[in-house]
Amino acid sequence: MSDKNKEEELENSVSEAQENTVETEEVSVEQEEVSVEEQLKEDLAKEKDKFLRLFAEFENYKKRTSKERMDLFKTAGQEVLVSLLPVLDDFDRALNELSKSEDKESFKGVELINGKLKETLKSKGLNVMEVKQGDAFDAEMHEAITQIPAPNKKLKGKIIDVIEKGFTLGEKIIRHPKVVVGN
């Protein structure tokens, strides 16, 4: 090969290399534009996701605090009501003893006061748990004071006697009924 051919080949190679470089630069500029656009789309998607999660978390927080506030209002007087439960027990014992006496007027007066007190407490959400002899014992609902031999087979594992009444405030048990269970 002659020097001329070599020079022509060299010039062709250089011109091809320049064309390839220009094309490569154009492709890389397009890729940069596309990658910048894609990057912005990804960033936007991340921010949207972040916003939606934050919004959902805030909504859950509002619901939770609203529920807690409602529960607090329902049980706001719980301490006072719990401290009045022994008074209710004393009233029941007093009525039981007064019913045995001959003084029916005293019995009637105490019975009226007892009824009024119970109605007032009931309006505040206090309810007596209905437990009677023969009911099935439930450890979640009842407090077993003692176990005695069952008088008959039907009362085995059942409540034989109620020692102390149980009370609920709304849906919450504030005092479990104390019972005797047959075994």
Side-chain angles (χ1 to χ4, degrees):
M1 267 201 198
S2 68
D3 287 335
K4 238 183 186 180
N5 283 342
K6 284 184 183 179
E7 279 181 30
E8 283 179 18
E9 272 184 42
L10 187 58
E11 283 179 18
N12 286 339
S13 297
V14 169
S15 67
E16 284 179 17
Q18 286 176 345
E19 287 176 12
N20 285 341
T21 306
V22 169
E23 286 177 11
T24 305
E25 286 177 4
E26 288 176 2
V27 169
S28 67
V29 167
E30 283 180 22
Q31 285 178 348
E32 282 181 27
E33 287 177 10
V34 170
S35 65
V36 168
E37 186 177 321
E38 287 175 2
Q39 183 67 32
L40 290 174
K41 283 182 180 179
E42 286 177 20
D43 289 347
L44 180 63
K46 286 179 186 177
E47 291 301 318
K48 278 184 181 178
D49 183 56
K50 190 174 167 184
F51 171 74
L52 288 174
R53 289 179 188 274
L54 186 62
F55 184 74
E57 190 175 320
F58 180 68
E59 287 296 317
N60 290 338
Y61 168 77
K62 282 187 351 186
K63 288 177 187 174
R64 185 177 62 247
T65 55
S66 176
K67 184 181 182 296
E68 287 172 357
R69 185 177 296 125
M70 293 303 292
D71 290 343
L72 182 65
F73 285 138
K74 286 180 183 176
T75 60
Q78 181 175 342
E79 286 183 36
V80 174
L81 292 176
V82 168
S83 65
L84 285 175
L85 294 181
V87 175
L88 286 175
D89 294 337
D90 292 342
F91 255 119
D92 288 339
R93 284 190 281 275
L95 282 172
N96 194 20
E97 290 302 314
L98 281 174
S99 68
K100 296 176 186 175
S101 76
E102 293 179 17
D103 190 6
K104 297 300 175 191
E105 294 302 317
S106 294
F107 174 72
K108 208 173 218 179
V110 172
E111 190 176 42
L112 286 172
I113 295 169
N114 184 38
K116 194 173 207 177
L117 177 63
K118 284 185 178 181
E119 284 303 314
T120 302
L121 294 175
K122 191 173 186 176
S123 71
K124 300 298 179 191
L126 185 72
N127 293 309
V128 177
M129 293 178 67
E130 296 297 326
V131 180
K132 58 186 180 289
Q133 182 179 358
D135 287 351
F137 175 73
D138 182 4
E140 298 286 324
M141 302 290 288
H142 309 108
E143 182 179 340
I145 299 297
T146 188
Q147 290 185 346
I148 61 171
N152 59 40
K153 289 184 180 183
K154 289 182 181 177
L155 291 176
K156 204 169 201 175
K158 307 256 183 195
I159 295 172
I160 293 178
D161 191 19
V162 179
I163 305 298
E164 193 175 70
K165 292 179 183 177
F167 292 91
T168 60
L169 182 59
E171 300 292 316
K172 183 178 178 185
I173 298 174
I174 59 172
R175 185 170 86 179
H176 294 275
K178 294 179 180 168
V179 298
V180 175
V181 180
N183 63 357

